[in-house]
Amino acid sequence: MKKQFLLFFMLIAFASAGAFAQNQSIVYFTRDVSSAGLMKVYRALNQKIEGSVGIKVSFGGPDEEVLQPELLGELVRTTGGTMFDGNGLSGNRRTSEMNLSHARRHGFTEIGKCVMVSDSDYINLPLTGGNILKYARTGKEFAGFDSLISVFRVRLHMLPAFDGNIKNISLCLANRSGKCIIHSGGTDENYYHSTPADVLEKSFADAAKAALDYKKNWAFINVLDDIEPNDSCRGAKNLGKIGIIASSDIVALEQCTLDFLIEKTDVDNATKSEWKSAHCTGMVEQLEKLGGGTRNYRLVELK
């Protein structure tokens, strides 16, 4: 009888382990931070390109550390993609003309077509079952893309909110009124509001889920290279060129990113907790809860 019970529990354990493995998403990784390295992880995703391709990037400000355009050259040529971004709320990124001038200054226009999503001619991206938002908002240009690739140079210790791919397809995808919606927790379409971290995390996750629901054919790439910390987080340092990671699952990609930039760093657990709190990393878990992906992943290194 005991042997039968032991066998039964072993079978249950193996079945559970199999189910757990089935729920994993694959994240591809290369240490080669180059155009060839980026294409290596992108091709591993086997994204089926259909119709018009939009490549969501950040053109950045005049003195901002952004993705190096030369990393994108082959991707743009191979997919025939159009690079696009959204305007900021104020300062030197508040108009399309300003942003496109930054795109030219950083070299994006030299490798392909660049556009800004419209502030005046917008579309709402509906969301059912979100935390706070009922919809996200972006320019009409987004509707014209059939296949989407989101590429981002991750900057953990630069801005208050975790600066990764979730932000790239939520706040950075939004037009100006869309940014107001996110920052206000859905209460204002016209003005910026400073909101508590937990509200901001939920708003980011809601807006990202709306983008995922509106367009189904996505590929996500994070570039983890030598960004110099620019905040007051104790123990933060330049980690050098870690590599490039890619996944069809944005939640898995972002969790892997946090593991590289926080969990695998040589600091104590209290410091790691401070970093997570300071940079609103809870948006990753929030998006998982909305069904935007899983934090359970398997890392596959490509040589």
Side-chain angles (χ1 to χ4, degrees):
M1 183 65 70
K2 288 183 179 180
K3 289 183 178 181
Q4 289 177 329
F5 273 116
L6 181 59
L7 178 61
F8 173 76
F9 284 120
M10 287 177 64
L11 290 172
I12 291 295
F14 283 129
S16 299
F20 184 77
Q22 289 176 1
N23 290 330
Q24 284 185 327
S25 289
I26 296 177
V27 177
Y28 294 100
F29 168 61
T30 178
R31 300 178 191 275
D32 180 11
V33 182
S34 69
S35 177
L38 189 146
M39 288 304 297
K40 186 181 298 183
V41 293
Y42 171 70
R43 287 194 174 106
L45 299 179
N46 289 318
Q47 182 185 30
K48 185 178 181 181
I49 292 296
E50 299 176 332
S52 178
V53 178
I55 302 177
K56 178 65 190 72
V57 298
S58 174
F59 296 137
D63 302 313
E64 191 174 340
E65 290 193 82
V66 295
L67 185 72
Q68 297 172 345
E70 53 264 32
L71 293 179
L72 290 175
E74 188 177 352
L75 178 68
V76 173
R77 289 190 296 271
T78 300
T79 63
T82 296
M83 294 168 283
F84 70 102
D85 197 8
N87 292 321
L89 287 173
S90 61
N92 53 29
R93 295 193 63 190
R94 66 183 182 276
T95 69
S96 294
E97 291 75 17
M98 289 178 174
N99 277 288
L100 289 175
S101 72
H102 303 325
R104 286 191 294 272
R105 179 179 302 182
H106 291 306
F108 288 101
T109 56
E110 295 180 10
I111 62 171
K113 183 179 180 181
C114 298
V115 301
M116 301 302 299
V117 296
S118 174
D119 288 321
S120 58
D121 199 350
Y122 62 81
I123 55 174
N124 288 334
L125 313 181
L127 177 65
T128 302
N131 290 299
I132 300 175
L133 306 185
K134 301 300 182 184
Y135 55 87
R137 178 172 292 172
T138 186
K140 66 174 183 178
E141 293 78 7
F142 182 61
F145 297 124
D146 304 294
S147 303
L148 280 301
I149 306 170
S150 180
V151 189
F152 204 76
R153 185 185 189 189
V154 179
R155 302 171 296 180
L156 178 66
H157 293 289
M158 297 293 288
L159 298 171
F162 173 41
D163 212 19
N165 236 301
I166 291 178
K167 185 178 177 183
N168 197 35
I169 71 164
S170 57
L171 190 71
C172 297
L173 173 63
N175 60 6
R176 294 184 67 188
S177 61
K179 286 178 170 62
C180 292
I181 291 169
I182 292 172
H183 274 297
S184 69
T187 62
D188 198 324
E189 297 182 353
N190 300 303
Y191 298 99
Y192 170 83
H193 291 262
S194 179
T195 53
D198 62 327
V199 174
L200 194 60
E201 288 175 342
K202 292 176 180 178
S203 290
F204 272 82
D206 284 355
K209 184 60 163 59
L212 294 174
D213 288 347
Y214 192 80
K215 295 290 183 178
K216 301 297 185 182
N217 188 9
W218 285 94
F220 303 100
I221 303 171
N222 274 346
V223 177
L224 312 178
D225 63 358
D226 49 352
I227 291 288
E228 197 68 33
N230 187 29
D231 64 11
S232 58
C233 286
R234 64 187 177 98
K237 63 181 180 180
N238 189 330
L239 299 177
K241 293 183 182 295
I242 295 174
I244 303 177
I245 57 177
S247 181
S248 299
D249 183 336
I250 189 172
V251 174
L253 183 82
E254 298 287 73
Q255 184 58 56
C256 180
T257 299
L258 292 176
D259 288 345
F260 270 119
L261 300 183
I262 297 180
E263 298 301 339
K264 295 181 180 180
T265 55
D266 187 22
V267 296
D268 57 48
N269 290 333
T271 300
K272 292 176 183 178
S273 295
E274 288 179 15
W275 290 359
K276 293 174 187 177
S277 177
H279 295 288
C280 300
T281 62
M283 67 178 75
V284 180
E285 183 177 359
Q286 291 294 336
L287 184 53
E288 180 185 46
K289 290 178 179 178
L290 293 176
T294 176
R295 288 181 294 158
N296 181 27
Y297 67 89
R298 178 165 62 90
L299 190 65
V300 176
E301 183 171 359
L302 305 178
K303 301 295 186 181

